[in-house]
Amino acid sequence: MISAERTRRARWPWALLVVIVILAVLVVAAELIARAVLPGVVRGIVIEQLELPADQQLDVDASGILLPQLIGGRLDQLHLTTGSVTIGGVTGAADVTATGIPLRGGDLEDARGTVRIDDEQFTALVAASDLPIDTVEFDEPDVTVSGSVPVFGISLPLALTVTPGADAGELLLTPVSLQVAGTTLNAQQVADRFGSIAEQLTQTQRICIADQLPAGLTMTGLAVDGNEVVVDVQVDGAIVTDETLQENGVCP
């Protein structure tokens, strides 16, 4: 009897170890399943909410250990990237990080990211300005817009170099230099030669693009990076629950 009891006691730690190993394997398997399933679920929700094409390329990556987050009903962080997506009236490569994502409904805690656009998309954004724009050329950190203005009944070609930026959700174009028929002019020379046209050529342009973006997105920064423009955006956490924030905004 004593020998059998000692045998059972000797086996107990091994049995406990086996149970622990099995539980650990199950937890790892569940974590792997969660990581395999969650991106597809999130992708489907995003595509549905933003009314994107069913075949939209969208990569989703979740941070941290998922099982405790899923049990708690809240994801710590999601990273979403796509090589090309059209949101509102803008098409570009998007990289967005969202934090505090409720799994049972509710607003996001925070979301922000960047959208990279090419010269064609940038030209469309600045088309609402008072500048004569036919072509756009990037020269980091500036942009040169070329066009022509009517002077004394003739069309005079010019090239205006500006530094793009953003303020309070508006796109800014701050003039750096102006070339008219190959001659570089300063602000006073422009005013002397072009009169009322000078103001639109020498003053910082503020362009509202709210009508080209969902109301829940706010442009917080903009800069030239090589042959692209990088737009920083802040996302209203209520965009997932408020349909009006998913619609394009309005300009004053």
Side-chain angles (χ1 to χ4, degrees):
M1 293 291 294
I2 294 176
S3 177
E5 183 177 350
R6 287 178 177 176
T7 299
R8 286 195 297 271
R9 289 178 178 177
R11 290 176 178 174
W12 168 246
W14 290 104
L16 178 61
L17 179 60
V18 170
V19 171
I20 292 175
V21 170
I22 292 175
L23 288 176
V25 170
L26 290 175
V27 169
V28 171
E31 176 73 14
L32 292 175
I33 292 173
R35 288 199 171 276
V37 173
L38 183 65
V41 173
V42 172
R43 177 184 177 276
I45 294 174
V46 172
I47 286 176
E48 180 182 357
Q49 291 290 330
L50 296 181
E51 298 182 352
L52 300 175
D55 60 352
Q56 172 66 51
Q57 178 265 320
L58 181 65
D59 296 328
V60 179
D61 182 43
S63 299
I65 301 176
L66 292 183
L67 280 182
Q69 299 177 53
L70 295 175
I71 293 172
R74 192 177 186 86
L75 297 179
D76 294 337
Q77 180 174 290
L78 281 177
H79 186 208
L80 298 89
T81 57
T82 178
S84 179
V85 63
T86 299
I87 301 176
V90 179
T91 299
D95 186 314
V96 177
T97 298
T99 57
I101 304 98
L103 298 178
R104 300 181 181 91
D107 300 343
L108 303 175
E109 181 180 298
D110 183 65
R112 62 190 66 201
T114 60
V115 178
R116 288 180 170 269
I117 61 176
D118 59 19
D119 55 347
E120 182 178 345
Q121 291 294 309
F122 182 76
T123 301
L125 287 181
V126 301
S129 73
D130 294 329
L131 301 175
I133 300 174
D134 293 330
T135 62
V136 170
E137 182 179 347
F138 295 151
D139 185 14
E140 186 180 351
D142 300 324
V143 174
T144 297
V145 295
S146 300
S148 59
V149 294
V151 178
F152 303 124
I154 64 172
S155 182
L156 189 65
L158 57 81
L160 178 64
T161 298
V162 298
T163 301
D167 178 58
E170 293 185 316
L171 193 158
L172 302 184
L173 298 178
T174 303
V176 175
S177 64
L178 174 68
Q179 281 195 340
V180 179
T183 302
T184 301
L185 304 176
N186 58 36
Q188 186 57 54
Q189 290 171 323
V190 173
D192 292 340
R193 298 190 185 189
F194 300 106
S196 61
I197 299 177
E199 184 174 352
Q200 72 183 59
L201 297 178
T202 58
Q203 298 297 314
T204 296
Q205 295 280 316
R206 301 183 68 94
I207 307 169
C208 175
I209 63 170
D211 58 346
Q212 300 186 59
L213 295 173
L217 299 186
T218 301
M219 181 174 60
T220 58
L222 187 147
V224 178
D225 182 17
N227 60 351
E228 297 178 313
V229 166
V230 180
V231 182
D232 298 322
V233 294
Q234 176 72 45
V235 185
D236 188 323
I239 195 171
V240 295
T241 58
D242 188 345
E243 292 185 0
T244 62
L245 295 178
Q246 299 168 21
E247 302 294 330
N248 279 15
V250 295
C251 287

